[in-house]
Amino acid sequence: MKEVRVLEIKQSVFADNDMQADKLRQELKEKGVFLLNLMSSPGSGKTTTLMRTIDALKGKIKIGVMEADIDSDVDAKTIALSGAKVIQLHTGGMCHLDAEMTRQGLEGLDTKDVELAILENVGNLVCPAEFDTGASKNAMILSVPEGDDKPLKYPLMFSICDVVLINKIDVMPYFDFDMDKCREYIHMRNPKAKIIPICAKTGEGIEEWTKWLSDEVVNWKEA
């Protein structure tokens, strides 16, 4: 039987994206724009957390938001209520954003009056973790109802994130969620990850989160 030719393209695709991401990161650095890549499962509370974040930083940092989704503009309309600059990105069925797609989003957003650009990535814990978007920092949200074992099941996502927000801590009494175990599992994947328990609904923990974020924006500009 004739051998079938197999072409390994995954490495080259990722290598090209990594080069584009590094280039975008440097360009944003020169412009003084900090890009935060925010990831999570659907329903973890990304948009609610963003609304809290924008409200806490209003008047302190100029924020622009890119809402990425397969379809609809529901989240963008919600963010628009905050008064922040916002654009909706449709991925055409793709479950992630890469560096070039992020660049297109930033051009559409127009960052000339933006200090902090936030990309709310497509909601899942697999594909978004595989592609470097050119972000200054990666953040993710893990909600209590998802369970404390998610770092064991989705190692790459937790390994690439600089900060993990554990959201919906107000419902911990109703779920079998062990905060200590969750911290342990996260640090198994990423010993340097900053872990901040929050409740986007009540605002608990938001001050610590926005303090971390604002400090990172300042450090990014000064470095």
Side-chain angles (χ1 to χ4, degrees):
M1 181 181 293
K2 185 177 180 180
E3 289 188 4
V4 176
R5 184 182 177 212
V6 178
L7 180 63
E8 297 288 348
I9 64 169
K10 188 173 183 180
Q11 184 176 356
S12 62
V13 168
F14 284 149
D16 180 66
N17 181 73
D18 289 347
M19 287 189 291
Q20 293 299 322
D22 287 339
K23 183 179 178 182
L24 177 58
R25 204 163 11 246
Q26 182 58 39
E27 291 173 1
L28 291 174
K29 178 78 169 177
E30 293 170 358
K31 293 177 181 178
V33 178
F34 182 99
L35 174 60
L36 178 74
N37 179 27
L38 182 61
M39 300 170 284
S40 79
S41 297
S44 65
K46 285 197 301 294
T47 305
T48 305
T49 300
L50 273 181
M51 291 291 283
R52 283 282 186 181
T53 302
I54 294 167
D55 184 62
L57 296 177
K58 192 174 294 183
K60 301 175 184 177
I61 299 176
K62 296 176 183 177
I63 300 175
V65 178
M66 296 176 288
E67 285 287 345
D69 215 333
I70 292 174
D71 202 356
S72 90
D73 58 0
V74 174
D75 291 340
K77 286 181 177 179
T78 300
I79 294 296
L81 297 175
S82 71
K85 194 173 187 179
V86 62
I87 187 172
Q88 181 74 53
L89 309 180
H90 283 169
T91 64
M94 297 185 72
C95 61
H96 68 274
L97 268 77
D98 59 22
E100 177 55 32
M101 296 162 74
T102 303
R103 179 188 292 279
Q104 293 177 39
L106 289 165
E107 290 173 353
L109 181 66
D110 187 1
T111 59
K112 66 175 179 287
D113 58 347
V114 171
E115 297 171 287
L116 168 61
I118 302 176
L119 170 62
E120 182 176 337
N121 215 317
V122 181
N124 73 83
L125 296 180
V126 182
C127 302
E130 296 182 334
F131 290 85
D132 188 343
T133 61
S136 312
K137 295 290 181 179
N138 291 314
M140 73 159 294
I141 300 174
L142 169 66
S143 65
V144 166
E146 294 174 72
D148 53 35
D149 60 354
K150 284 298 179 289
L152 302 179
K153 297 180 178 181
Y154 301 94
L156 181 59
M157 174 60 74
F158 289 86
S159 69
I160 67 163
C161 286
D162 300 283
V163 60
V164 178
L165 306 179
I166 302 178
N167 190 27
K168 303 186 182 181
I169 57 174
D170 56 321
V171 299
M172 278 185 61
Y174 310 104
F175 288 88
D176 185 18
F177 187 95
D178 189 318
M179 182 66 76
D180 291 334
K181 282 186 178 180
C182 188
R183 288 179 181 274
E184 178 187 345
Y185 297 153
I186 292 171
H187 283 147
M188 281 173 57
R189 302 305 187 190
N190 186 352
K192 296 181 179 179
K194 174 77 172 175
I195 301 171
I196 306 175
I198 68 168
C199 177
K201 183 178 180 180
T202 66
E204 185 177 354
I206 295 299
E207 183 177 355
E208 182 182 357
W209 153 237
T210 53
K211 173 67 165 56
W212 178 89
L213 182 56
S214 59
D215 286 348
E216 290 296 326
V217 172
V218 171
N219 293 338
W220 175 256
K221 289 183 177 182
E222 295 179 350

